[in-house]
Amino acid sequence: MSLAGLFNARWPGVALFDLDGTLVDSAPDLAAAVDLTLEQLGRKPAGIEQVRQWVGHGSPILMRRALAGKADWKPATNGDEALFNDSLKLFYQNYQQLNGQHSTVFAGVEACLETLSGRGCRMAVVTNKPEQFVSPLLEQMGLEHHFELVVGGDTLSTKKPDPAPLLHAMEALQGSRGTTVMVGDSAADVSAAQAAGIPCVAVTYGYNFGRSVQALGADAVVDSLSELL
């Protein structure tokens, strides 16, 4: 599918966007919250470059990885589970204070959203970030007015790569598989879109656990969302 044909005056009617790593570089705030949590637990901080490799599957998985010190964490024992629960509570408290302080909007995002809004495209954010943090971050970044709907990682009983959040958003915005596109940065986004039966655009600059996005099978891969205009 060519970029020239992916967006035009009539299509898409609905666009679904991932948040972290697609619209907003939130890794600095996430890393600060993770590191503060680890320090409160008497552990060494992970650092932003490590945290960038762990983002994408929601806050619980992020903290699992932080406690393990690696992306490939193992299921916890009962004793570790208590530590995990404490760490997640601390992380939420820390991130609540930091959310948006050091985050920035990626280049090309605002131009893309403005153009789609002007064409009457209905838009939603579909993210694995807990819902309570999504709208405040969008407001802090000045992006909230573009979106009619937010679907967080805890809005439904499942999150990406399950297709349910995408299908929920598509139906809520009265889209169809022929008029809806997903825009994301990771395997979770592409897999969810494929399972939902809608095309997907993948960006190269986001958080895909250090892996190349070119091999994910997205319908288009771009270095900036401005390339879609």
Side-chain angles (χ1 to χ4, degrees), residues 20-22 52 106 184-186 203-211 213:
D20 299 314
T22 300
R52 281 186 186 277
F106 286 112
D185 66 317
S186 71
V203 300
T204 59
Y205 53 75
Y207 314 141
N208 189 38
F209 319 116
R211 306 167 190 159
V213 301

Side-chain angles (χ1 to χ4, degrees), residues 11-224:
W11 191 87
V14 171
L16 312 178
F17 289 88
D18 175 54
L19 180 55
D20 299 314
T22 300
L23 298 177
V24 175
D25 183 7
S26 54
D29 286 323
L30 290 167
V34 166
D35 283 349
L36 179 55
T37 302
L38 291 174
E39 290 171 358
Q40 289 168 333
L41 295 173
R43 298 188 172 210
K44 293 182 179 179
I48 187 170
E49 294 309 316
Q50 189 77 272
V51 173
R52 281 186 186 277
Q53 309 304 317
W54 296 340
V55 177
H57 287 120
S59 299
I61 300 299
L62 174 59
M63 282 313 304
R64 296 277 193 191
R65 289 168 169 161
L67 290 173
K70 56 185 179 180
D72 185 22
W73 58 278
K74 299 296 183 182
T77 66
N78 289 336
D80 290 335
E81 198 66 14
L83 174 62
F84 164 72
N85 290 333
D86 289 342
S87 73
L88 188 60
K89 182 178 179 180
L90 285 171
F91 171 78
Y92 284 154
Q93 292 171 349
N94 294 329
Y95 188 60
Q96 185 80 51
Q97 298 298 317
L98 292 163
N99 192 14
Q101 288 189 21
H102 307 292
S103 298
T104 56
V105 178
F106 286 112
V109 166
E110 294 185 76
C112 180
L113 297 180
E114 289 285 354
T115 299
L116 290 179
S117 293
R119 292 175 178 173
C121 180
R122 304 183 72 180
M123 292 182 282
V125 168
V126 182
T127 173
N128 282 344
K129 182 189 289 292
E131 187 175 341
Q132 72 186 90
F133 299 120
V134 180
S135 292
L137 180 57
L138 290 173
E139 291 172 10
Q140 183 83 357
M141 298 295 102
L143 301 176
E144 76 285 352
H145 61 286
H146 292 295
F147 300 102
E148 297 183 48
L149 178 70
V150 164
V151 181
D154 52 359
T155 303
L156 305 178
S157 60
T158 57
K159 58 173 69 75
K160 299 177 297 184
D162 192 287
L166 278 64
L167 295 172
H168 171 77
M170 179 181 74
E171 292 165 5
L173 297 184
Q174 299 179 317
S176 68
R177 287 180 173 84
T179 63
T180 303
V181 65
M182 176 68 198
V183 183
D185 66 317
S186 71
D189 297 311
V190 177
S191 296
Q194 291 172 338
I198 63 175
C200 184
V201 175
V203 300
T204 59
Y205 53 75
Y207 314 141
N208 189 38
F209 319 116
R211 306 167 190 159
S212 170
V213 301
Q214 277 79 5
L216 296 180
D219 295 276
V221 178
V222 297
D223 296 322
S224 169

